[in-house]
Amino acid sequence: MNQKRFRRLYREEGLAVRKRRGRKRALGVRAPLGLPSRPNERWSLDFVSDCLTSGRRFRILAIVDDCTRECLALVADTSLSGHRVARELDAVITRRRAKPRTCVSDNGTELTSMAILKWSKASGVDWHYIQPGKPQQNAFVESFNGRLRDELLNETLFSTLDEARTRLAAWRDDYNRVRPHSALANRTPEEFHDHHLALAVTNDQVQKFSPGLTL
């Protein structure tokens, strides 16, 4: 049997190999983003890797408010799935009593999982994915991660995961409450956040008595 006869019989009998489709992933939004103008307008997420003195690797999920530069969470664990990311986002929303309008991330497996797709739909939060290979599109959290690595991860040896979590919490507290940022008019991220909240309350009061006027 020659090749042409074989192909004809193959087609006539309907013997086709079905192509496997990849699993569903969150599509999110890919439209260009402007700069955020108020707290909780946009949160950005990314992962950082490190290892313990035993050689065991762990990952850190960093969540940053792009407007106030606040570090909202530093979650360290040996495994961080999409379900875990969704739970940590819910915890931040509960603690902050506010949810973001948009979350920004790269196209990592955990962040494009069905768990994140369901969370985004259920919470009403848009999810924006940067273009592959262009981390500069997620510049706020990338800059934060660089600072975290230079100031803590590269300078500290962690014996246990609990020790790493303790040191990360202390560094985050110093970053948010003690250290002023030139991009925030030399305020700390927490002070900048409080300033925006106070300004919003004042504007609400002005609007109540003088509609159309804002500060």
Side-chain angles (χ1 to χ4, degrees):
M1 181 184 296
N2 61 31
Q3 190 177 31
K4 288 184 179 180
R5 180 178 175 81
F6 176 80
R7 289 179 179 274
R8 179 173 59 80
L9 292 174
Y10 192 86
R11 289 195 302 270
E12 290 175 355
E13 294 298 325
L15 302 176
V17 178
R18 296 181 62 185
K19 294 182 179 180
R20 292 185 61 186
R21 295 181 178 180
R23 65 182 179 87
K24 288 184 179 179
R25 291 178 180 269
L27 297 178
V29 181
R30 293 188 183 275
L33 288 176
L35 292 175
S37 59
R38 58 183 180 273
N40 304 313
E41 184 175 345
R42 190 172 75 212
W43 296 356
S44 54
L45 299 83
D46 198 13
F47 290 98
V48 186
S49 297
D50 202 11
C51 63
L52 305 175
T53 53
S54 63
R56 188 179 186 184
R57 298 197 66 80
F58 66 95
R59 305 179 76 196
I60 303 166
L61 169 65
I63 306 176
V64 173
D65 186 311
D66 288 356
C67 174
T68 66
R69 310 297 203 275
E70 290 173 280
C71 175
L72 306 180
L74 284 175
V75 183
D77 215 328
T78 53
S79 176
L80 291 167
S81 65
H83 290 284
R84 177 69 180 280
V85 173
R87 291 201 304 270
E88 295 298 338
L89 283 168
D90 283 333
V92 174
I93 289 172
T94 299
R95 185 170 64 248
R96 200 167 175 80
R97 298 180 182 177
K99 65 180 180 181
R101 176 181 296 179
T102 304
C103 283
V104 184
S105 74
D106 60 20
N107 298 267
T109 304
E110 302 86 355
L111 301 174
T112 56
S113 65
M114 286 298 293
I116 294 300
L117 176 63
K118 292 177 180 177
W119 182 87
S120 177
K121 184 177 180 179
S123 63
V125 176
D126 292 331
W127 203 285
H128 178 93
Y129 291 104
I130 65 173
Q131 293 176 275
K134 293 191 175 181
Q136 65 272 19
Q137 294 181 359
N138 204 10
F140 291 99
V141 74
E142 289 288 342
S143 175
F144 172 84
N145 286 345
R147 184 171 296 179
L148 172 64
R149 184 168 295 283
D150 290 341
E151 296 181 4
L152 180 66
L153 302 184
N154 288 347
E155 301 295 326
T156 311
L157 295 176
F158 305 115
S159 300
T160 65
L161 197 55
D162 286 340
E163 180 186 355
R165 289 167 176 161
T166 299
R167 297 295 295 270
L168 284 166
W171 187 89
R172 173 175 168 263
D173 185 73
D174 177 76
Y175 176 87
N176 284 337
R177 298 182 176 183
V178 178
R179 187 183 314 176
H181 290 243
S182 58
L184 306 177
N186 289 320
R187 297 185 180 97
T188 67
E190 191 172 87
E191 288 172 343
F192 194 72
H193 175 261
D194 292 343
H195 168 74
H196 267 272
L197 290 183
L199 190 61
V201 171
T202 302
N203 277 329
D204 288 342
Q205 293 173 345
V206 169
Q207 285 290 318
K208 183 177 179 180
F209 296 102
S210 302
L213 179 65
T214 58
L215 297 180

